[in-house]
Amino acid sequence: MSESVVAGTPLTSAAVGWGRPDARRLLQLALAAIWLLDAVLQYQAFMFTKAFGQMLGETASGNPGLIAGPITWDATLVEHNAVVLNTIFATIQLVIAIGIAWRPTVKIALAGSIAWSLGVWWFGEGLGGILTGGASPVNGAPGAVLIYALIAVLLWPADRDAAAPYLAARAVGTTAAKVVWLVFWGSMIFFTVQSANLTAQGLHDMISGMASGEPGWLASAESHAASLVAHNGVGVSIILAIAFAVIAARVFLPIRAAEAVIVLALIVSAFIWVFGEALGGVFTGGGTDPNSGPLLALLALLYWPGLGAATSGRVAAAAPTAREPMS
Amino acid sequence: MGPSWLAGILAAVMILTAIYCVARIVISRTQDRQAENDVDGVHAAMGVAMAGMLVARLQLLPNVVWAVVFSLAAAWFAWRIGRAYLPTATSAATGIEDPLPTGRNHLVPHLVMCGAMVYMLLAASALGPGSGGGAMNMGGSASGGHLPVLALILSVYLFGYAVWETDRIHGLPRVSAQLITGGVASAVPAVALPGGGTVAEAVGSAEVATTGTTSTAQAAMTAPSGDLAEAAAARKPVSPRLEGCCQVVMAVTMAYMLVLML
């Protein structure tokens, strides 16, 4: 505040020392809030027990030896030092959250979140199971933490493309943003139509399995959803794959159609989060994060047409000082 | 349920926060500095009550009594918010909307936090005799199906508030004698205003508005220029940045306690 006064900004600017967040900053704050939720979930009692290490060890199953070996080593280490290591894990996530929310440290925190996410993707999620042949977007593939890293890259406070048609393009440029979107949602198609997921009961078993330990209303919703897809796993998976294909095509569509596709992506994200992921298992006491649903929604919002272009002008106007990494 | 050592640390932090909030009230009274005494008072009570919920030995009052206290506090903030939405005498007379409606948005989180306290205290009470305070630690059980969705919604709100407030803290003014009496005055041309005030003084007053702790700056923006001198003679606020930090810490701790109740 005092800086802007010293810099001789007008009285009105001085009175409003805090630049109201623009769209990108708001999404950065949303990412910070999700990291904060992660941190708090990581501080739950379950995470300080051997069971957490065992849970990590289970992600090695089905992975090639090169990937599984370090996971097993890490899981054993966590099992034997659960309190110390989990305290460190939770605190790192807390620091990342606060770092993103605190404007002067947003870059270093986003960089830290990328590094941490990639580490957790391997050691905590077994690369989201993408090498096991059984990964499904319905239960989080290609891995929630990978999406954290992706969003952190796309929310990086840089402006490579002054005429960015959406927020994601501001940080990495329009072409790179298109490639990211295509590859990501294209991979969702691939995982959906893997042979393990194209079975009559595969989706039913996956959804009904999520009901365990959930409160009554959520368990009931899971059971109903599971009964709806019972014996129709192949058909539902193909419909889901078509939906992912339509979403992937967003980068080739005109604005109106692109908006509709983003709405579709938000709906699919909500469907996955509620029925496939049971809200990340946060009600069970054993959930470490809200899983991929909210991250998919956040990713979709980064590609909302016109969002980046519409606010870029306001960013400069609202920035408290020129040297602050506001967004 | 969380580990008891973590509950102990958080209880200590809450007590420190409560002490700081009491200190703010004392400072504002004895040194004639600006602060929202009602907010600080409620935060002090929250700190003590939350410490009691985290560590049973620190419980000063029964949960039901605390629940009544925070229900009354919630009603107070609801009334203040409602009052802030009513047109002021000035805006009604001039037709110009209040440019700095500090009384509206910044009070909503306090209302929600009071509501969250009531929820947690009643849920803890519903656990039955013997649970008492300390329901959040390893030895107790905070769960039990007390509208866990409400706990999730409240915690998500508090996470959002915590990051929003953290983002805002950086833009809050550093309040020091130098800033108010020397720094600003020397940086901003001391243009005399009608009535004897200066632009620099008006800036000092207006800065205070970003904290939501005073209506003096609003008066400076809306009052006729002849009243600027009076408005510019604003009292220094009590450390808005530290107040913001306290709110962040309190929101995160409360969200943690709510997550334990899922």
Side-chain angles (χ1 to χ4, degrees):
Chain A
M1 182 64 222
S2 57
E3 295 91 342
S4 54
V5 174
V6 172
T9 50
L11 176 62
T12 49
S13 298
V16 187
W18 172 65
R20 197 169 182 81
D22 68 329
R24 178 157 68 182
R25 183 64 186 147
L26 281 175
L27 294 185
Q28 286 174 351
L29 292 178
L31 181 65
I34 296 174
W35 273 116
L36 200 49
L37 172 61
D38 283 12
V40 166
L41 289 171
Q42 198 71 47
Y43 278 119
Q44 292 177 109
F46 170 81
M47 310 301 167
F48 292 92
T49 65
K50 286 192 171 192
F52 176 56
Q54 290 160 0
M55 189 174 79
L56 294 179
E58 287 167 11
T59 63
S61 173
N63 272 305
L66 192 66
I67 302 297
I71 295 173
T72 307
W73 168 81
D74 167 62
T76 308
L77 196 67
V78 172
E79 251 185 271
H80 292 127
N81 305 280
V83 174
V84 174
L85 289 179
N86 189 61
T87 303
I88 293 170
F89 295 164
T91 306
I92 286 172
Q93 294 173 63
L94 186 64
V95 169
I96 288 172
I98 299 296
I100 294 172
W102 175 250
R103 292 188 188 196
T105 55
V106 65
K107 280 187 179 177
I108 193 166
L110 284 173
S113 78
I114 293 167
W116 179 251
S117 298
L118 294 177
V120 173
W121 189 50
W122 183 351
F123 294 100
E125 289 192 350
L127 303 188
I130 60 172
L131 301 178
T132 64
S136 168
V138 177
N139 64 4
V145 281
L146 184 66
I147 311 176
Y148 281 86
L150 197 58
I151 290 174
V153 170
L154 297 175
L155 282 174
W156 191 262
D159 280 303
R160 281 175 180 268
D161 190 347
Y166 36 80
L167 272 176
R170 280 175 64 182
V172 297
T174 304
T175 306
K178 282 182 178 179
V179 170
V180 166
W181 181 265
L182 267 176
V183 169
F184 181 81
W185 291 100
S187 75
M188 300 283 265
I189 302 169
F190 171 75
F191 294 125
T192 305
V193 298
Q194 284 187 115
S195 57
N197 297 323
L198 284 181
T199 61
Q201 284 294 85
L203 212 50
H204 167 271
D205 295 344
M206 191 185 298
I207 294 175
S208 61
M210 295 303 296
S212 172
E214 299 294 346
W217 63 273
L218 188 54
S220 171
E222 297 286 337
S223 299
H224 279 93
S227 62
L228 279 175
V229 299
H231 309 295
N232 297 311
V234 177
V236 174
S237 291
I238 289 173
I239 291 171
L240 204 53
I242 291 169
F244 288 140
V246 171
I247 294 169
R250 176 256 173 268
V251 288
F252 303 115
L253 299 173
I255 288 178
R256 286 289 171 205
E259 284 177 352
V261 166
I262 296 298
V263 171
L264 174 66
L266 293 173
I267 292 168
V268 170
S269 304
F271 168 82
I272 287 174
W273 193 42
V274 175
F275 298 112
E277 300 171 349
L279 308 182
V282 295
F283 291 112
T284 64
T288 56
D289 59 62
N291 214 331
S292 68
L295 279 307
L296 290 173
L298 201 54
L299 181 67
L301 289 175
L302 277 164
Y303 285 79
W304 186 271
L307 198 56
T311 55
S312 56
R314 265 188 282 150
V315 177
T321 62
R323 62 177 178 277
E324 285 176 2
M326 180 177 163
S327 59
Chain B
M1 287 79 22
S4 53
W5 59 266
L6 182 56
I9 291 172
L10 290 175
V13 171
M14 285 301 96
I15 289 170
L16 286 176
T17 305
I19 291 170
Y20 172 70
C21 290
V22 171
R24 287 177 60 83
I25 296 172
V26 173
I27 290 168
S28 76
R29 297 278 180 183
T30 58
Q31 298 183 12
D32 194 27
R33 291 173 67 174
Q34 289 169 346
E36 284 186 307
N37 289 342
D38 55 349
V39 171
D40 288 327
V42 169
H43 279 176
M46 271 181 196
V48 174
M50 285 164 71
M53 293 176 75
L54 288 159
V55 177
R57 281 175 300 172
L58 299 176
Q59 193 179 29
L60 290 183
L61 296 172
N63 286 339
V64 177
V65 175
W66 279 123
V68 170
V69 168
F70 292 112
S71 297
L72 293 172
W76 166 252
F77 286 124
W79 180 77
R80 278 195 64 188
I81 292 166
R83 197 179 60 164
Y85 273 97
L86 294 174
T88 62
T90 307
S91 64
T94 61
I96 300 169
E97 196 175 341
D98 186 349
L100 294 169
T102 55
R104 297 178 188 178
N105 297 334
H106 92 281
L107 289 173
V108 174
H110 304 310
L111 172 63
V112 174
M113 288 170 88
C114 286
M117 287 300 297
V118 173
Y119 167 82
M120 289 194 297
L121 289 158
L122 292 181
S125 296
L127 291 173
S131 62
M136 301 294 169
N137 66 27
M138 199 67 135
S141 172
S143 61
H146 307 291
L147 294 175
V149 178
L150 183 56
L152 181 64
I153 292 169
L154 287 168
S155 59
V156 167
Y157 178 87
L158 290 171
F159 287 131
Y161 173 60
V163 296
W164 181 269
E165 192 66 17
T166 304
D167 179 64
R168 208 176 67 96
I169 287 171
H170 185 59
L172 293 177
R174 287 181 205 277
V175 176
S176 64
Q178 186 185 8
L179 174 71
I180 299 295
T181 62
V184 172
S186 61
V188 177
V191 178
L193 294 169
T198 66
V199 171
E201 288 169 331
V203 168
S205 305
E207 279 181 307
V208 175
T210 61
T211 69
T213 57
T214 181
S215 60
T216 308
Q218 295 176 42
M221 304 294 282
T222 57
S225 57
D227 297 337
L228 264 176
E230 189 183 341
R235 295 169 295 158
K236 285 188 292 182
V238 184
S239 186
R241 286 191 171 201
L242 206 47
E243 182 197 16
C245 290
C246 280
Q247 287 174 9
V248 170
V249 167
M250 197 159 269
V252 172
T253 305
M254 197 177 285
Y256 170 73
M257 293 166 73
L258 286 163
V259 164
L260 297 185
M261 305 186 95
L262 292 177

